[in-house]
């Protein structure tokens, strides 16, 4: 029996605040409507008269109360048990909490906020109470988040008021963990309520808290303001309140504030509040003041405050790049001092400031490059160029501060790494100008006995390879490459070899084949030898080979890799078999390089790729045979299966796409499908994705012959289409349905009922990531094209979906770039669906079934034309649909077509397009339209 | 609030190979979807239908490299694949373009659509047909691929090897393109102005137009050719100019324009194309040629010295059993050589032999031409790849006796259809 919220009006009861009363009364209130209320007896046995209830009766009466009663009394214990080291106690506690939440949400909220607010409770139960509250208000997945928001909003006003009261009360608690947790929960509630114009008094309440003299309250309130600014969009806080918040925050940051905790919280709060300060940053005086406070804070004795202040500077550099001009000189001095003298966490932020400025300028210059217009959003102030003569030496100095063995630590991040990364960004920002500033450093250090100097010089060179023009670098590169190939073999230091191999890879990444004078054979023999070095060096050598191969792919038919092709493959396979291939991502790098080498095989070398097929299949088979693995081993096994499936996928694509190799290759299809189906038995998303992609490529190569695998494969196809959680798998499965359609044509028909059902479910789900939806529409087109008029029975489902999606996609006003891009993807999907359906019905006696939809389709095209925000792909697809409609419906649709704008203005615009594919589709459409209209 | 994570990627390539695999798979799927769409729109298929007879065993030795041999062997070794997969019967055009010597000649000689001669006027001439003036010159295939352009005559031999502005027709930055981009045009090379007049488009940018109606092919030809700069005057990377021929609806006006109109080229008769017909290799009754003295200098066949012989001459192919046949499919029998004669001579099956027609022996039975006795003249020119077609022999015969005249063409038109067709031919020309 589920208890309803109304039965617990008397909230004080749960907190033990109200005076005691007769149990019978309580029960009488609580049990209204219960089918049978036991007739209670008075007993005076051994003492004063009392209600006499049997144990059985108590149990039955308490059912509706069960959790609330237990929780009210025992919530503290349950929360502590939920953190117990004893797994079964933990599990039981978690289950109790879940049941409590499910059965009585209001008391659940009240109990938890009460626990958090209660200074008599242990800190651990209070913290967890707050954490659970936070999680009942917010979730990562958008659909769940929406549910949680609605759930909170629909709670009883009284309950919400009481919860919020508890939260605000907690900000004054002497226990800092409780305060901090409460401030996060307050921000979550604010994130829900402020956009709905609820809790209007929150900000003023918080601001009045600040006026209090107690530092810990001030600190907690500033922290709350910080979280609040993170949760709430600036749109929902008016400027007056923003000003007050900023004033409070800046006051807290000020040197006159003696309490370091307050200053730190204020500084961190400013980081989040910066997004609210648009207006204030546009006002010279206010901006000067804000900047002064931030810069002063970078000089405080307290490390954490300096670090937080630099974080603010970094955030300002990206949010207010165009307002920084007059401060740059001071900022340079501050950052340079920090980089040189300060502790690492601060120095890292100081370097990050410059990296962030580079990011901004690279973006701006990119935009200039693509299409410069006078009203471009932000002008480039060339801060990096101006700072260059001082900035580069500062960064070069950092390169000499390497840590021993930093290459072996995946999570390492130190000043040398940050400095080199920043140097690379500077090179991308200024191009050629960096070269003369770095070359002397390289020449001076590259041959020094101290490994730090050799490594720094090499890292500097590797860092500046992207940005400067090839002409500027080519002369140096040939000399450098020679030097580095020697170092790869002879240098005694692993760190130097690691960086050298990485640099060689960068050379091939940015300078393709012809600029390099050294014969490929020489380079290859060094790299193959280097692949036998320690794992981190070998991994970089694989990376270098990856880019070398990729460069050769671009060059054309006669590949310089061909003479050593078999050796390369053999060397890469040996790397995958190394005992230590699990370290430094070595095995992954080897397989990825193998893939790239396969991709650039030529006619001459494809026979070697063919020999690779059984080898990889045996490897995959071996992973499937492994028994009794620990969970750690299983994870490694899964990773390996993913790599092997990925490799097979690349091979299938290579050999399956050329007629001469296809037929020999397809002899392996039986065994390969067998392996893939067994791989599906492993529940691991990455592996599924790789196997799915491989099957798609295989199906397309096999054509109608793939039919015999469908029975075995279909259950996994269904599974993939239902995988909402790992939406990448779902998206890829949708793509594979397209491959199957093209492979099987109308032989896919028996499976279409199931497939269409899942696709329609996917479309209507709000759990599925939206990016999967456009491909589903395209997939409708694939199916229709494959099964032709048999698509008839799906029309009544598919067409309304297409129709409403079409309406949605033309109603996007004021969208950001991301939304516009998504909208265009959606439109493209819808249009591809229409194309497929129309073409599928062509020459069928059932063509007239599509007539009722013709005017909607044309309206969609007209509205797309009127919106004027189509990209080229949508334009091509749209004009294609116009042609398909005319082609399939012919003279029947003639009058409708001639009335539409798309058949005139839009068609003309497409005919005049510079884009070849648009023009071609348009010419074809013109032909079809003129026949339909004249016919 | 904890400090914010600021670690940037270090010594890592920006793109993972896994993401690259996903991206490549998406690109492949998008491309294949687009191919399917184009096929549905009859705009595509870069594969050629390879008629089985065009790969006689004899020319396998001429295969240019291992790939093709390997391919042919793969075909032989997997008969079950051949049976189950229709695509095996296709030969990629790019591969065909690698053919050399007699294999190439053999292949290309059979790719042209060959007009029949108009013996009588087809019904619905004005409704279903186009007419245009045929430029005098050498009929040829022009193929642009891999950065060069090759023209081949009817017998498959190369006429010119040259750079052109056709897609992938020259090795310049603007024009060169991936190897699957190639074009095949059906042309007449007109000596006096050194121009290729394009009379049909077989393949454009790798899209086959074989299965498209003439209506669509002409439309496409007119839309596409001028885009490329192929109609521009010759230059370093464009040695010969290409030009289109005005095509008219075959009504009174169109017929008159084609027949009497002045053109940049010397006229050699009129061509009639059925607008619904696909491009069909070999002889077809859906594309016809007609000539009279007014619109052609070459109504009657000339001999090797350029004179019109007193008697009509025909070229026939000698079969194994001594039968003499035309180039039609199936061949039409016009006579027979006796075994003794064959043995005495050096003739072999497949030779083309020239005969004079003896007028007195010719008979027309139920509308069919029978030549009766023939007089042997000699072996035909070695360059010939075909015997005469039945329709040609018939046309030449009637031309000498009771020619089909322009008035007969006009008379066959439906007088009611004239008015509303003006607009259409404008569209085809612009």
């Amino acid at each position: 029996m589920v208890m309803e919220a109304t039965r617990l009006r008397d909230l004080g009861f749960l907190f033990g605040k109200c005076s005691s009363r007769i149990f019978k009364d309580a029960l009488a209130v609580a049990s209204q409507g219960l089918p049978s209320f036991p007739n209670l007896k008075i007993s005076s046995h051994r003492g004063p008269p009392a209600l006499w209830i049997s144990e059985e009766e108590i149990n039955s009466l308490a059912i509706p109360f069960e959790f609330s009663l237990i929780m009210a009394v025992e919530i503290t214990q349950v929360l502590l048990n939920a953190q117990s080291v004893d797994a079964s106690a933990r599990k039981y506690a978690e289950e109790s909490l879940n049941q409590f939440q499910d059965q009585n949400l209001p008391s659940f909220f009240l109990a938890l906020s009460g626990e958090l607010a209660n200074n008599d409770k242990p800190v651990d139960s209070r913290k967890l109470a707050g954490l659970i509250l936070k999680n009942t208000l917010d979730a990562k997945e958008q659909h769940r988040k929406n549910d949680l928001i609605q759930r909170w909003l629909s709670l009883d006003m009284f309950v919400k008021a009481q919860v919020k009261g508890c939260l605000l009360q907690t900000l004054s608690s002497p226990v800092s963990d409780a305060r901090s947790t409460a401030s996060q929960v307050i921000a979550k509630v604010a994130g829900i309520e402020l956009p709905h114009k609820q809790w209007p008094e929150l900000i003023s309440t918080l601001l009045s808290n600040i006026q209090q003299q107690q530092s810990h309250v001030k600190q907690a309130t500033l922290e709350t303001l910080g979280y609040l600014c993170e949760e709430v969009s600036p749109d929902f806080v008016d400027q007056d309140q923003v000003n007050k918040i900023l004033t409070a925050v800046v006051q807290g940051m000020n040197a006159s504030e003696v309490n370091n905790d307050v200053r730190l919280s204020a500084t961190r709060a400013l980081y989040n509040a910066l997004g609210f300060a648009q207006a204030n940053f546009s006002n010279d005086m206010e901006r000067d003041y804000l900047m002064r406070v931030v810069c002063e804070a970078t000089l405080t004795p307290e490390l954490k405050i300096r670090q937080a202040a630099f974080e603010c500077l970094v955030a300002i550099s990206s949010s207010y790049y165009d307002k920084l001009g007059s401060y740059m000189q001071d900022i340079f001095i501050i950052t340079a001092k920090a980089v040189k003298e300060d502790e690492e966490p601060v120095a890292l932020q100081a370097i990050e400031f410059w990296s962030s400025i580079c990011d901004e300028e690279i973006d701006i210059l990119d935009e200039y490059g693509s299409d410069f217009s006078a009203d471009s959003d932000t002008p480039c102030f060339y801060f990096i160029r101006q700072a260059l003569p001082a900035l580069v030496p500062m960064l070069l100095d950092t390169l000499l501060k390497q840590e021993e063995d930093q290459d072996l630590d995946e999570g390492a991040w130190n000043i040398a790494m940050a400095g080199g990364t920043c140097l690379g960004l500077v090179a991308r920002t200024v191009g050629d100008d960096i070269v003369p500033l770095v070359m002397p450093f390289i020449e001076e250090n590259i041959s020094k006995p101290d490994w730090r100097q050799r490594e720094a010089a090499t890292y500097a060179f590797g860092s500046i390879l992207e940005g400067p023009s090839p002409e500027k670098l080519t002369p140096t590169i040939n000399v450098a490459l020679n030097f580095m190939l020697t170092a790869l073999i002879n240098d005694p230091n692993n760190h130097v070899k690691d960086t050298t191999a990485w640099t060689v890879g960068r050379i091939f990444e940015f300078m393709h084949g012809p600029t390099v004078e050294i014969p490929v054979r020489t380079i290859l023999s060094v790299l193959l030898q280097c692949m036998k070095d320690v794992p981190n060096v070998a991994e970089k050598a694989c990376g270098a080979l990856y880019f070398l191969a990729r460069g050769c792919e671009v060059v054309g038919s006669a590949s310089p890799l061909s003479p050593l092709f078999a050796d390369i493959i053999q060397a890469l396979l040996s790397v995958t078999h190394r005992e230590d291939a699990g370290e430094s991502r070595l095995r992954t790098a080897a397989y990825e390089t193998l893939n790239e080498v396969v991709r650039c095989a030529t006619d001459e070398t494809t026979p070697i790729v063919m020999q690779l097929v059984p080898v990889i299949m045996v490897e995959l088979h071996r992973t499937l045979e492994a028994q009794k693995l620990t969970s750690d081993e299983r994870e490694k096994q899964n990773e390996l299966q993913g790599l092997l499936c990925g490799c097979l996928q690349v091979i299938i694509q290579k050999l399956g796409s050329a007629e001469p190799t296809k037929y020999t290759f397809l002899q392996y299809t039986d065994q390969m499908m067998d392996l893939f189906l067994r791989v599906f038995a492993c529940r691991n998303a990455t592996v599924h994705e790789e196997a799915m992609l491989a099957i798609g490529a295989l199906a397309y190569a096999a054509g109608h012959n793939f039919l015999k695998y469908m029975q075995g494969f279909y259950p996994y196809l269904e599974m993939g289409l239902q995988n909402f959680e790992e939406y990448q798998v779902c998206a890829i499965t949708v793509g594979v349905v397209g491959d199957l359609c093209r492979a099987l044509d109308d032989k896919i028909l028996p499976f279409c009922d199931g497939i269409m059902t899942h696709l329609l479910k996917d479309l209507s789900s709000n759990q599925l990531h939206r990016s999967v939806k456009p491909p589903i529409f395209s997939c409708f087109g694939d199916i229709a094209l494959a099964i032709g008029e048999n698509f008839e029975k799906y029309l009544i489902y598919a067409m309304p979906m297409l129709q409403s999606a079409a309406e949605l996609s033309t109603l996007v006003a004021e969208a950001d770039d991301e939304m516009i891009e998504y909208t265009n993807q959606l439109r493209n999907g819808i249009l591809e669906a229409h194309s497929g359906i129309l073409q599928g019905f062509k020459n069928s006696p059932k063509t007239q079934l599509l007539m009722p939809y013709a005017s909607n389709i044309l309206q969609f095209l007209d509205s797309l034309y009127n919106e004027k925000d189509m990209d080229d792909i949508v334009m091509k697809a749209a004009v294609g649909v116009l042609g398909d409609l005319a082609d399939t419906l012919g003279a029947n649709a003639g009058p409708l077509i001639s009335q539409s704008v798309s058949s005139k203005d839009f068609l003309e615009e497409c005919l005049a397009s510079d884009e070849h594919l648009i023009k071609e589709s348009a010419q074809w459409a013109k032909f079809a339209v003129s026949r339909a209209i004249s016919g | 609030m904890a400090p914010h994570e600021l670690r940037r990627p270090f010594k890592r390539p920006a793109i993972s190979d896994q993401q690259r695999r996903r991206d490549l798979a998406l690109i492949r799927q998008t491309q294949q979807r687009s191919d399917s769409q184009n096929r549905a729109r009859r705009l595509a298929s870069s594969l050629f239908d390879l008629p089985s007879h065009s790969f006689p065993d004899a020319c396998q030795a001429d295969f240019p490299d291992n790939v093709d041999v390997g391919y042919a062997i793969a075909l032989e070794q997997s008969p079950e694949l051949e049976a189950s997969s229709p695509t095996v019967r296709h030969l990629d055009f790019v591969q065909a373009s690698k053919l050399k010597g007699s294999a190439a000649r053999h292949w290309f000689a059979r790719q042209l659509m060959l007009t029949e001669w108009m013996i009588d006027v087809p019904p619905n001439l004005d409704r279903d047909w186009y007419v245009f003036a045929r430029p005098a010159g050498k009929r040829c295939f022009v193929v642009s691929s891999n950065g060069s352009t090759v023209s081949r005559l009817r017998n498959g031999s190369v006429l010119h090897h040259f750079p052109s502005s056709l897609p992938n027709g020259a090795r310049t930055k603007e024009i060169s393109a991936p190897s699957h981009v190639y074009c095949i045009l059906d042309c007449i090379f007109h000596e006096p102005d050194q121009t290729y007049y394009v009379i049909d488009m077989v393949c454009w940018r790798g899209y086959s137009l074989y299965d498209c109606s003439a209506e669509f092919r002409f439309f496409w030809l007119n839309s596409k050719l001028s885009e490329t700069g192929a109609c521009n005057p010759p230059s370093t990377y464009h040695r010969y100019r290409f030009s289109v021929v005005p095509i008219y609806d075959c009504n009174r006006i169109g017929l008159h324009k084609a027949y009497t109109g002045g053109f940049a080229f010397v006229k050699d008769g009129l061509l009639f194309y059925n607008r619904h017909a696909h491009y069909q290799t070999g002889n077809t009754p859906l594309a016809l040629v007609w000539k009279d003295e007014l619109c052609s200098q070459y109504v009657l066949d000339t001999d090797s010295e350029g004179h019109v012989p007193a008697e009509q001459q025909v070229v026939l192919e000698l079969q194994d059993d001594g039968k003499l046949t035309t180039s039609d499919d199936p061949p039409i029998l016009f006579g027979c050589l006796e075994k003794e004669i064959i043995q005495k001579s050096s003739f072999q099956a497949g030779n083309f032999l020239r005969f004079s027609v003896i007028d007195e022996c010719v008979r027309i039975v139920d509308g069919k031409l029978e030549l009766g006795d023939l007089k042997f003249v000699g072996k035909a020119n070695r360059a010939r790849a075909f015997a005469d077609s039945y329709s040609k022999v018939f046309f030449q015969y009637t031309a000498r006796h009771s020619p089909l005249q322009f008035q007969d063409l006009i008379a066959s038109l439906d007088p009611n259809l004239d008015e509303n067709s003006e607009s259409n031919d404008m569209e085809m020309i612009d």
Side-chain angles (χ1 to χ4, degrees), chain A residues 222-223 226-227 230 265 268-269 271-272 307 311 348-349 352 355-356 359 406-407 409-413 417 421 425 455 459 495 498-499 502 509 539-540 546-547 550 553 585 592 595-596 599 603 642 646-647 649-650 653 659-660 662-663 686 689-690 693 696-697 700 705 728 732 735-736 738-739 742 775 778-779 782 785 832 835 839 842 876-877 880-881 884 887 916-917 919-921 923-924 926-927 930-931, chain B residues 1-43 47 65-68 70-72 74-75 77-78 80-82 84-92 95 98 130 167 204-205 207 209 212-220 222-228 275-276 423-424 427-428 430:
Chain A
L222 285 165
E223 193 175 341
Y227 283 123
E230 197 176 20
S265 289
R268 287 180 176 168
Y271 179 92
N272 287 331
Q307 186 183 355
E311 280 186 42
L348 287 175
Q349 290 294 346
E352 180 62 19
S355 292
S356 167
D359 287 344
Q406 67 181 33
D407 289 311
D409 176 4
E410 289 271 342
W413 186 245
M417 295 163 108
T421 306
L425 291 167
E455 197 276 338
Y459 189 28
H495 198 141
D498 182 295
T499 304
W502 171 76
E509 187 178 355
E539 187 247 343
K540 302 292 187 304
Y546 184 97
F547 286 110
R550 211 164 157 180
E553 191 178 18
R585 212 181 142 265
E592 293 191 342
N595 292 345
E596 190 56 32
R599 283 192 195 105
D603 291 353
C647 184
Q649 174 202 332
V650 173
Q653 191 129 331
E659 299 287 321
K662 184 166 148 180
Y663 299 102
T686 315
E689 198 183 319
E690 299 287 0
L693 279 174
Y700 189 76
N705 292 324
Q728 289 274 24
I732 277 164
V736 168
D739 286 327
R742 288 180 285 272
S778 305
C779 190
D782 297 336
L785 206 52
E832 286 187 331
S835 272
Q839 286 297 346
K842 191 160 96 174
K876 174 191 177 276
V881 168
D884 295 327
D887 194 24
H916 170 71
L917 290 172
K919 192 167 180 172
E920 192 157 273
S921 289
Q923 284 165 337
W924 180 79
K926 183 187 174 188
F927 174 76
S930 66
R931 279 209 347 184
Chain B
M1 279 170 280
H4 296 85
E5 173 72 38
L6 52 79
R7 196 172 183 280
R8 287 171 179 257
F10 176 70
K11 288 191 188 175
R12 286 265 179 278
I15 298 175
S16 82
D17 194 72
Q18 192 189 7
Q19 189 55 42
R20 200 158 126 77
R21 284 198 293 279
R22 273 187 208 139
D23 294 345
L24 288 174
L26 271 181
I27 291 169
R28 172 181 65 77
Q29 285 168 343
T30 309
Q31 183 57 47
Q32 284 164 356
R33 174 177 296 131
S34 163
D35 288 350
S36 302
Q37 269 176 8
N38 283 330
R39 256 196 302 281
R41 291 170 184 164
R42 299 236 165 270
L43 248 180
L47 293 174
D65 55 44
N66 299 338
V67 176
D68 290 333
Y71 173 66
L75 274 190
Q77 286 173 341
S78 47
E80 77 284 356
L81 277 174
E82 193 179 355
S84 56
S85 167
T87 53
V88 179
R89 289 239 142 261
H90 291 141
L91 180 70
D92 191 302
Q95 286 181 7
K98 289 182 192 158
Y130 293 118
W204 187 254
R205 286 186 168 276
Y207 289 151
L209 295 161
C212 300
S213 64
E215 185 177 18
F216 183 74
R217 295 196 311 274
F218 290 154
F219 165 80
W220 210 239
N222 275 283
S223 314
K224 291 290 170 192
L225 191 67
S226 55
E227 268 174 24
T228 57
R275 69 166 79 218
H276 308 295
S423 59
N424 245 353
E427 192 183 312
M428 301 305 290
D430 65 19

Side-chain angles (χ1 to χ4, degrees), chain B residues 18 22 66 76 152 184 209 227 265 319 341 384 413 420-421:
Chain B
Q18 192 189 7
R22 273 187 208 139
N66 299 338
E76 280 172 10
R152 285 176 186 272
I184 310 170
L209 295 161
E227 268 174 24
F265 50 82
Q319 304 290 346
I341 301 175
R384 246 183 195 270
L413 300 178
N420 53 13
S421 38

Side-chain angles (χ1 to χ4, degrees), chain B residues 218-334:
Chain B
F218 290 154
F219 165 80
W220 210 239
L221 166 61
N222 275 283
S223 314
K224 291 290 170 192
L225 191 67
S226 55
E227 268 174 24
T228 57
C231 301
N232 296 343
S235 58
T236 320
Y237 292 108
H238 182 55
R239 192 166 306 149
Y240 295 100
R241 178 209 281 273
F242 287 78
S243 185
V244 291
V245 178
I247 295 166
Y248 307 100
D249 281 346
C250 194
N251 52 35
R252 194 175 303 268
I253 299 163
L255 260 177
H256 272 289
K257 277 187 182 161
Y259 183 60
T260 58
F263 296 98
F265 50 82
V266 178
K267 236 184 285 181
D268 180 19
L270 299 182
L271 289 170
F272 296 80
Y273 275 59
N274 185 297
R275 69 166 79 218
H276 308 295
H278 293 186
Y279 197 96
Q280 183 189 338
T281 59
N283 291 317
T284 171
L286 296 174
L288 301 170
V289 60
W290 173 89
K291 297 175 180 183
D292 71 1
E293 267 81 11
L294 195 90
C295 68
S296 171
Q297 299 171 318
Y298 316 100
V299 179
L300 296 183
D301 266 2
T302 54
D303 61 17
S304 51
E305 272 103 51
H307 304 299
V308 175
E311 288 151 342
Q312 182 187 355
Q313 296 194 344
V314 295
V315 174
L316 298 172
E317 183 174 355
L318 179 63
Q319 304 290 346
D320 289 336
D321 50 8
K323 284 179 178 151
L324 296 165
T325 60
T326 65
S327 62
D328 301 88
D329 186 21
I332 308 284
L333 180 68
F334 268 143

